């Protein structure tokens, strides 16, 4: 186990060849080759920050877990070669080439924010799952290449500059109940996917009460789900299928109705006056030197993360909030980290 450790400015940060290892509450930064390299199985990386490296995290193996970890500003974010690995409740952002690259089967990405890279998620392999995640602000949101039988559902895929999903030699994936809001939501070089499940009752990704296909929005406001009427007897489903390409059709596209919005306010305490701090909510980052940061969101469940500040720990550092018909407030408390004392309102390192 490696815990409460800072490793920086080396050729390589941590290299592990073996099984059942844990890295927790550590900062791995500014290593020119890779931050962490793991070859093996059943290892856990949790509550850590990996930033400014060449490769942030390289995993070769199976049954490894990355949870509650921030991986950002590396040349490459996470590279996984193997099966049955899980990325959960993490923030993967601003990595130059890609945020997450997976080559393998039965891997899972859940409750994770992926943003501001060239490639958000790239998958080669089969039977992997992407769910309850936000993929936004990348060049390519999700790239599916030489893959099959993956499942992508309950995600927000928005404001990716080229394509929300790019498919090449991709066959038989199930893609449903996602919100697409990109200038070009899908581009298919070759392949096909299933774009809906059988119609069933349930709360869908845009707040309606039937689950079927996807919500097809456009930043300009003229997406298929925005302009197509609903079925006469079902206000939650569009009255005609959405043809994506010749053999790719969403037969049950969701009907979008603009929702009421509510304020989500983060209240900071513990920092010196006029300290710049930042919060990311639903893929949008705001900063302030006051103790209040406010967002506006419709009903839904949203992931947030609070940026770390040197010399302080913050609670909560990340999590989920639910907007359900009323405003929401979240208290974020910064506390001096061990090894620091407060002098005249500022943290000073003690050695």
């Amino acid at each position: 186990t490696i815990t409460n450790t800072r490793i920086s400015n080396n050729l390589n940060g941590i290299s592990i060849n073996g099984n059942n290892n844990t890295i927790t509450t550590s900062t791995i930064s500014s290593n020119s080759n890779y931050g962490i390299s793991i070859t093996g199985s059943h290892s856990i990386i949790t509550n850590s920050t990996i930033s400014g490296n060449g490769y942030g995290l390289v995993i070769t193996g199976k049954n490894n877990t990355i949870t509650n970890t921030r991986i950002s500003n590396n040349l490459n974010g996470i590279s996984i070669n193997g099966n049955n690995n899980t990325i959960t409740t993490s923030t993967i952002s601003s990595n130059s080439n890609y945020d997450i690259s997976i080559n393998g089967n039965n891997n899972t990405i859940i409750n994770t924010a992926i943003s501001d890279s060239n490639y958000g998620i790239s998958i080669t392999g089969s039977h992997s799952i992407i769910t309850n995640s936000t993929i936004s602000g990348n060049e390519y949101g999700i790239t599916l290449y030489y893959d099959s039988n993956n499942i992508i559902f309950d995600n927000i895929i928005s404001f990716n500059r080229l394509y929300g999903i790019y498919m090449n030699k991709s066959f038989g994936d199930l893609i449903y109940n996602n919100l697409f809001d990109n200038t070009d939501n899908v581009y298919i070089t070759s392949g096909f996917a299933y774009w809906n499940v059988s119609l069933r009752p349930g709360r869908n990704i845009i707040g309606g009460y039937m689950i079927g296909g996807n919500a097809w929005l456009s930043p300009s406001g003229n997406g298929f789900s925005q302009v197509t009427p609903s079925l006469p007897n079902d206000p939650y489903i569009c009255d005609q299928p959405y043809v994506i390409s010749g053999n790719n059709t969403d037969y049950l596209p969701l009907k979008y109705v603009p929702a009421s919005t509510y304020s989500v306010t983060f209240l900071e305490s513990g920092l010196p006056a006029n300290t710049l701090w930042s919060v990311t909510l639903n893929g949008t980052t705001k900063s302030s030197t006051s103790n209040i940061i406010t967002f506006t969101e419709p009903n839904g469940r949203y992931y947030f993360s609070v940026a770390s500040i040197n010399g302080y720990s913050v609670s909560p550092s990340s999590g989920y909030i639910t907007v359900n018909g009323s405003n929401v407030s979240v208290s974020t408390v910064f506390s001096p980290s061990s090894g620091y004392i407060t002098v005249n309102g500022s943290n000073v390192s003690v050695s």
Side-chain angles (χ1 to χ4, degrees), residues 279-290:
V279 178
T280 299
L281 177 68
N282 193 25
T284 298
T285 300
K286 290 187 177 182
S287 301
S288 178
T289 54
S290 75

Side-chain angles (χ1 to χ4, degrees), residues 47 266-269 271 277-279 304-309 311-318 331-337:
N47 294 313
F266 291 83
L267 302 171
E268 171 271 319
S269 62
L271 291 175
W277 64 294
S278 301
V279 178
F304 73 88
S305 61
V306 182
S308 59
I309 293 179
Y312 290 87
S313 61
V314 60
S315 178
S317 60
S318 63
S331 296
T332 58
V333 180
F334 287 84
S335 304
S337 302

Side-chain angles (χ1 to χ4, degrees), residues 319-338:
Y320 286 84
I321 59 98
T322 298
V323 179
N324 187 17
S326 60
N327 298 330
V328 176
S329 63
V330 180
S331 296
T332 58
V333 180
F334 287 84
S335 304
S337 302
S338 59

Side-chain angles (χ1 to χ4, degrees), residues 125-126 144-150 167-174 190-194 247:
S126 64
L144 303 171
Y145 184 62
Y146 278 102
D147 78 297
S148 63
N149 299 300
N150 299 292
M167 298 167 55
N168 187 6
K169 299 179 175 61
S170 173
F171 300 97
D173 295 325
L174 175 59
S190 62
F192 72 91
Y194 303 102
N247 59 348

Side-chain angles (χ1 to χ4, degrees), residues 135-141 157-164 182-183:
I135 302 101
S136 64
N138 307 284
E139 293 293 310
Y140 298 79
I157 305 168
S158 62
F159 304 111
N160 297 287
R161 290 177 289 278
L162 289 180
Y163 310 114
N182 311 274
T183 301

